[in-house]
Amino acid sequence: MTRRFDVLVIGGGNAALCAAISARRAGASVLVLEGAPKFYRGGNTRHTRNMRCAHDAATEILTGPYTEEEFWKDLLLVTGGQTDEELARFMIHESKDILNWIVEQGVRWQPSLGGTLSLGRTNSFFLGGGRAMLNALYRTAEALGVDVLYNAEVIDLKIEDGMFLSAQLKQPIGGKTEVRASTLVAAAGGFEANIEWLKQYWGEAADNFLIRGTPYNRGAILKLLLAKGVQEIGDPTQCHAVAIDARAPKFDGGIITRHDSVVFGIVVNKHAERFYDEGEDIWPKRYAIWGRLVAAQPDQIAYIIFDSTVVTSFMPTLFPPIAGATIAELAGKLELDASALEKTITDFNAAVQPGTFDHTILDDCATQGITPPKTHWARKIETPPYLAYPVRPGITFTYLGTRVNKQSRMLMKNGKPSANMFAAGEIMAGNVLGKGYAAGIGMTIGSVFGRVAGREAAKNARN
Amino acid sequence: MHGTRILQEADRLMTVCNSCRYCEGLCAVFPAMEMRRAFSDGDLNYLANLCHACGACYTDCQFSPPHEFNVNVPKTLAVARAESYAAYAWPRAFAGAFARNGLVISLIAALSVAAFIFGFAAINDRGVLTGIHTGPGAFYKLMPHNAMALLFGAALLYAILALAMGVRAFWRAIGEPVGMKTDTKSLLQAVRDAGELRYLDGGGVGCFNEDDHPTDRRKLYHHFTFYGFVLCFAATCVGTLYHYLLAREAPYAWWDLPVVLGTLGGIGLVVGPIGLLSEKWMRDRVLVDEQQMGMDTAFILMLFLTSVTGLALLLWRESAAMGPLLALHLGVVFALFITMPYGKFVHGIYRFVALVRYARERQMMVE
């Protein structure tokens, strides 16, 4: 590329596009380098569905209010305090305006019609889902004159004393492999699709992880930045991981491989043993913990087991449940030890106490005298056919990232802000999300810090 | 298991879509799907006819090709829709007409035109076809009004009967419980939804055609076509009333109601079909059921020919060309009538019925 841009955005998802649009609206010339082909553009944004934003009153799409303070408390709860309070409070405050700003960029919201998520108060849903949202952002960016290149894989960054100089491309574009720009916005996601890198922290277990998003989130930019003096933040073993169907593809199975049936049954490992309280907490928290729980089991596999009485109580699933007329037959199909599974279920059934089932609250259906207990929604599994879903850890995104300040400007290892480098989205999510997850918050981080990063990068470039 | 391979595929897609539901705000297909966990052939044909082929769910889907889940709802439902027309056709023996629709319709059209020309010449002496006829009743010098009324009345009645039988079969297949009645509220809702093509708007931004930039062009051209057709039909009705109630004989003056309605409708039926054909030509092939291009094109061309011959007749009705133009126009209209139950025309009927069903389902959920 012979042309020199004011702002170079590396990445092509929500954060990248919000940065590109906001920089372009601030008068900067902008180039977006998306490493994936056009169809796979946008990384994990392709698979998202909603965004969590604070608001003081109900709107057309949200029941309300969801105050800044309540959002902050929710964040504190899921992260267990592992968050940068100043950044988090800043993000929450900005999220109020993002609800409208994102609509001005062509994104449309829909009322939450069905599904299983009861998030109508805290979360806004994109009409048509995450890819529709991305399509709208790309249309707006292109109409504003943002240049976008696909299959544009960056393999090196030239950085001197915390100052970005240029990016090196794998494939030449216009005869050149070096892209120069006045400022950089890194919005290239996490490293969840990089199994080798995951193995550094998880060992061989990572071989059994399924990656819910695209195979392109390999963390190449993150690795380069950290190697070249940017301060790192976050625990590398922390990630958003849920239990997904073991029959799902290795990459990009997206939302439809999830299971929300845990509450209706029990979960056993490959030894047909229960290992955690299936009734511990209400959706969506219980949903977000099972990825890690399954990752800690032998061979990283587990089985949700329930009976025919509850089969229509949860969302229809992509893969049908595996069925058996008897526990032994089901065990055979799952390749579990039949007598072990029979014992687990008999023990569980014997421990179930009478109660009134209600899966929308922490009800009074619990077990007594078994370990681990099922503290809510415990009901006997006794009506054939017996059914099961095999599940594995499904990694959505990782939290290791680059440290930033409120301008979304990267901080260097010596604590000094970078001269011209900004970061937005998953690559810096760890600043806000030390651990845990609350639905829709990844998109809030992306849009809020993307918008800020673009604006600040444009200002920086024009000075 | 389903009756056909395409219904099998539609079932697979609905299973994928039902576990995702990101598209539920885009149109009626997805909320209707969400009311079911398993899909009968009738359910799938219902969903197929509820789909307006706006393409939004394809453009918005993270699992559309080249993704391995290979989700292409608009195309799959388009194929299923076309097959459903044949599945409910009456009489059954004519179901095959859908398969070679372009050819069948052009043959019938050509034969109809030839029959009218030959008929005029046979009824009268040969000179009458190329003679100049003016004033009230001029048309009937070529063919007596009663003969014309009998021919077209019979063709129209046949079309209505065949369509009604098809709709009856379709309604039975999609009705739940069987023989479900509808109500005025749902009917009116469906009239509104069909009248404004509510579900051809991609959830608000427009229809996706040649690329991922939505527009309202397909909707606009469809409106031209549909309302043009309605105006032309109204012109015919008014003409019939004039004849029998007021004893006023065609041709009428340019300012008279049948001519005004027919001219406006005719213009709509020129602009609309040309627009629809060009949109079809540009449409991304990944959304198109290639097998049915013939059927679609044949129907659009028939509408276009109806209006063009009608307008030509209006322009040259006081010249020697009147006879041949009238024969041509009547031939085309006759062919349009008798092929209606076996061509793309039925899409409007079945889609309307599906909309009634959908409005009724929504109503039942509220109740």
Side-chain angles (χ1 to χ4, degrees):
Chain A
M1 294 241 87
T2 44
R3 202 174 140 203
R4 186 189 169 88
F5 287 85
D6 292 330
V7 178
L8 173 69
V9 178
I10 304 181
N14 166 43
L17 269 288
C18 285
I21 289 170
S22 120
R24 186 76 193 105
R25 288 201 188 277
S29 60
V30 183
L31 172 66
V32 172
L33 297 179
E34 162 60 284
K38 187 176 178 186
F39 173 77
Y40 281 104
R41 71 184 180 187
N44 277 334
T45 306
R46 280 164 45 71
H47 294 292
T48 60
R49 185 185 197 185
N50 60 70
M51 188 189 284
R52 182 177 290 255
C53 293
H55 50 279
D56 292 327
T59 68
E60 275 176 36
I61 49 152
L62 288 159
T63 55
Y66 184 52
T67 63
E68 289 184 46
E69 203 49 38
E70 194 182 350
F71 193 158
W72 165 244
K73 279 187 183 140
D74 285 346
L75 185 66
L76 215 51
L77 204 68
V78 296
T79 58
Q82 288 187 39
T83 177
D84 178 326
E85 178 163 358
E86 194 197 5
L87 273 183
R89 284 192 182 270
F90 168 74
M91 179 198 79
I92 290 168
H93 180 70
E94 291 284 304
S95 78
K96 282 172 141 175
D97 193 41
I98 279 290
L99 261 180
N100 303 315
W101 185 80
I102 205 83
V103 171
E104 286 161 21
Q105 315 318 318
V107 174
R108 293 169 302 143
W109 302 114
Q110 73 168 26
S112 174
L113 301 178
T116 56
L117 301 174
S118 40
L119 298 170
R121 187 171 70 87
T122 57
N123 290 50
S124 309
F125 287 70
F126 304 121
L127 185 65
R131 192 167 170 227
M133 185 248 196
L134 268 179
N135 291 344
L137 291 180
Y138 273 94
R139 280 198 293 270
T140 301
E142 280 163 5
L144 288 170
V146 170
D147 286 273
V148 179
L149 293 174
Y150 298 106
N151 299 304
E153 203 179 326
V154 171
I155 51 169
D156 201 8
L157 296 172
K158 203 177 276 178
I159 296 168
E160 278 175 19
D161 294 329
M163 178 150 175
F164 166 78
L165 300 174
S166 66
Q168 204 72 32
L169 292 164
K170 190 175 184 183
Q171 302 292 335
I173 293 169
K176 299 251 183 179
T177 52
E178 191 179 35
V179 181
R180 298 163 64 79
S182 305
T183 56
L184 169 72
V185 175
F191 63 98
E192 60 275 359
N194 190 334
I195 306 287
E196 290 308 308
W197 195 353
L198 289 174
K199 274 187 182 175
Q200 281 181 31
Y201 315 110
W202 292 88
E204 296 305 307
D207 271 334
N208 287 325
F209 291 179
L210 302 177
I211 313 307
R212 301 178 75 202
T214 72
Y216 298 92
N217 284 347
R218 299 181 48 80
I221 303 302
L222 174 63
K223 193 165 244 177
L224 287 169
L225 290 168
L226 297 182
K228 288 168 192 270
V230 175
Q231 199 182 127
E232 84 174 40
I233 186 140
D235 174 352
T237 68
Q238 286 294 338
C239 55
H240 174 24
V242 300
I244 64 169
D245 201 293
R247 296 163 287 184
K250 183 74 178 170
F251 293 103
D252 216 51
I255 187 74
I256 64 180
T257 57
R258 73 189 172 315
H259 286 301
D260 54 358
S261 49
V262 165
V263 60
F264 300 102
I266 59 169
V267 183
V268 301
N269 62 17
K270 66 176 268 193
H271 303 305
E273 290 161 348
R274 290 176 60 244
F275 53 90
Y276 198 82
D277 176 4
E278 301 89 347
E280 183 192 50
D281 208 340
I282 208 100
W283 176 280
K285 194 188 162 193
R286 64 166 183 263
Y287 170 73
I289 62 174
W290 283 92
R292 295 187 151 266
L293 291 171
V294 175
Q297 292 305 307
D299 292 349
Q300 295 72 52
I301 185 122
Y303 305 88
I304 305 170
I305 300 195
F306 50 99
D307 70 18
S308 58
T309 58
V310 296
V311 78
T312 54
S313 304
F314 43 85
M315 282 270 287
T317 55
L318 174 67
F319 299 101
I322 295 165
T326 62
I327 301 285
E329 188 191 332
L330 181 66
K333 286 187 181 171
L334 301 177
E335 295 178 21
L336 297 178
D337 183 277
S339 55
L341 187 61
E342 276 169 346
K343 180 175 181 338
T344 298
I345 291 178
T346 310
D347 291 351
F348 173 78
N349 285 348
V352 170
Q353 302 300 307
T356 309
F357 181 84
D358 183 350
H359 72 100
T360 61
I361 54 162
L362 293 168
D363 72 3
D364 62 353
C365 295
T367 57
Q368 209 167 55
I370 50 164
T371 314
K374 186 176 180 187
T375 49
H376 304 284
W377 317 300
R379 285 185 302 178
K380 288 180 183 174
I381 299 168
E382 56 186 2
T383 312
Y386 299 97
L387 304 158
Y389 292 118
V391 289
R392 285 202 182 279
I395 313 298
T396 309
F397 70 90
T398 49
Y399 291 177
L400 177 71
T402 59
R403 187 97 168 85
V404 298
N405 66 15
K406 259 166 54 179
Q407 282 79 48
S408 232
R409 192 183 289 270
M410 287 185 233
L411 299 179
M412 306 308 291
K413 285 199 174 98
N414 59 15
K416 287 205 324 208
S418 160
N420 63 350
M421 298 195 293
F422 302 82
E426 278 171 27
I427 203 167
M428 48 65 67
N431 287 271
V432 177
L433 273 178
K435 69 168 192 178
Y437 191 70
I441 208 165
M443 294 302 276
T444 319
I445 294 171
S447 290
V448 166
F449 289 103
R451 182 189 182 192
V452 171
R455 191 172 61 209
E456 295 296 324
K459 204 196 285 176
N460 206 110
R462 291 157 63 84
N463 273 339
Chain B
M1 286 304 282
H2 291 285
T4 65
R5 195 194 55 79
I6 198 68
L7 291 180
Q8 200 64 37
E9 171 66 359
D11 188 296
R12 181 185 78 85
L13 293 192
M14 290 301 103
T15 305
V16 174
C17 295
N18 219 357
S19 61
C20 173
R21 302 188 169 184
Y22 280 17
C23 286
E24 65 186 2
L26 292 180
C27 73
V29 170
F30 300 98
M33 167 198 79
E34 287 178 20
M35 293 179 202
R36 299 158 169 80
R37 289 179 86 99
F39 305 92
S40 68
D41 283 7
D43 289 335
L44 294 168
N45 284 337
Y46 159 55
L47 296 174
N49 280 284
L50 204 47
C51 169
H52 287 52
C54 77
C57 64
Y58 177 84
T59 313
D60 290 351
C61 180
Q62 64 270 47
F63 304 119
S64 54
H67 194 283
E68 63 182 285
F69 290 160
N70 194 27
V71 175
N72 188 340
V73 173
K75 182 168 185 161
T76 305
L77 293 191
V79 180
R81 195 157 58 237
E83 287 191 1
S84 78
Y85 304 155
Y88 301 115
W90 183 90
R92 298 290 312 137
F94 289 178
F98 283 97
R100 297 170 310 279
N101 202 264
L103 182 66
V104 169
I105 288 191
S106 20
L107 278 176
I108 291 177
L111 287 173
S112 306
V113 171
F116 273 89
I117 295 174
F118 180 78
F120 288 175
I123 288 169
N124 306 284
D125 60 278
R126 274 154 211 239
V128 80
L129 191 60
T130 48
I132 295 179
H133 314 276
T134 54
F139 293 153
Y140 311 126
K141 300 214 170 77
L142 289 139
M143 180 183 277
H145 181 270
N146 286 344
M148 218 183 267
L150 189 71
L151 256 171
F152 281 86
L156 187 60
L157 278 178
Y158 174 76
I160 290 171
L161 173 70
L163 286 168
M165 293 301 284
V167 163
R168 183 163 167 266
F170 179 52
W171 186 253
R172 284 196 165 174
I174 69 172
E176 181 192 328
V178 172
M180 187 189 82
K181 299 280 191 290
T182 191
D183 59 313
T184 318
K185 204 173 162 193
S186 306
L187 213 56
L188 287 176
Q189 181 64 48
V191 169
R192 264 199 303 277
D193 293 344
E196 64 188 41
L197 284 180
R198 178 169 167 193
Y199 297 116
L200 195 67
D201 71 352
V205 284
C207 179
F208 293 81
N209 198 46
E210 64 272 23
D211 58 22
D212 55 5
H213 289 71
T215 77
D216 280 326
R217 292 195 310 262
R218 277 182 80 213
K219 189 165 163 176
L220 180 72
Y221 292 135
H222 191 285
H223 279 332
F224 267 110
T225 307
F226 175 71
Y227 289 104
F229 182 84
V230 169
L231 286 173
C232 288
F233 191 71
T236 310
C237 293
V238 173
T240 307
L241 292 179
Y242 271 23
H243 186 91
Y244 287 109
L245 291 183
L246 307 177
R248 291 178 57 186
E249 294 200 324
Y252 305 106
W254 66 268
W255 44 262
D256 215 341
L257 196 54
V259 182
V260 171
L261 289 172
T263 307
L264 287 176
I267 292 168
L269 268 186
V270 170
V271 175
I274 290 175
L276 285 178
L277 265 184
S278 81
E279 292 299 306
K280 192 169 284 299
W281 183 260
M282 287 190 293
R283 192 159 173 85
D284 188 341
R285 285 295 172 263
V286 83
L287 296 170
V288 174
D289 170 14
E290 303 270 3
Q291 298 286 312
Q292 306 311 324
M293 285 293 268
M295 173 168 76
D296 294 8
T297 309
F299 178 56
I300 293 173
L301 279 177
M302 284 303 291
L303 291 175
F304 177 75
L305 287 176
T306 303
S307 57
V308 167
T309 54
L311 290 172
L313 179 61
L314 178 67
L315 285 175
W316 287 292
R317 65 187 180 183
E318 291 183 353
S319 76
M322 192 264 261
L325 283 174
L326 181 65
L328 196 60
H329 183 59
L330 293 181
V332 171
V333 174
F334 188 80
L336 180 70
F337 276 11
I338 59 169
T339 57
M340 265 179 184
Y342 311 107
K344 186 61 185 279
F345 178 81
V346 300
H347 88 282
I349 310 277
Y350 285 6
R351 182 156 288 146
F352 177 75
V353 172
L355 285 168
V356 174
R357 174 80 177 102
Y358 179 65
R360 180 70 195 130
E361 273 184 339
R362 293 293 292 245
Q363 186 62 27
M364 276 158 46
M365 273 184 72
V366 177
E367 278 162 7

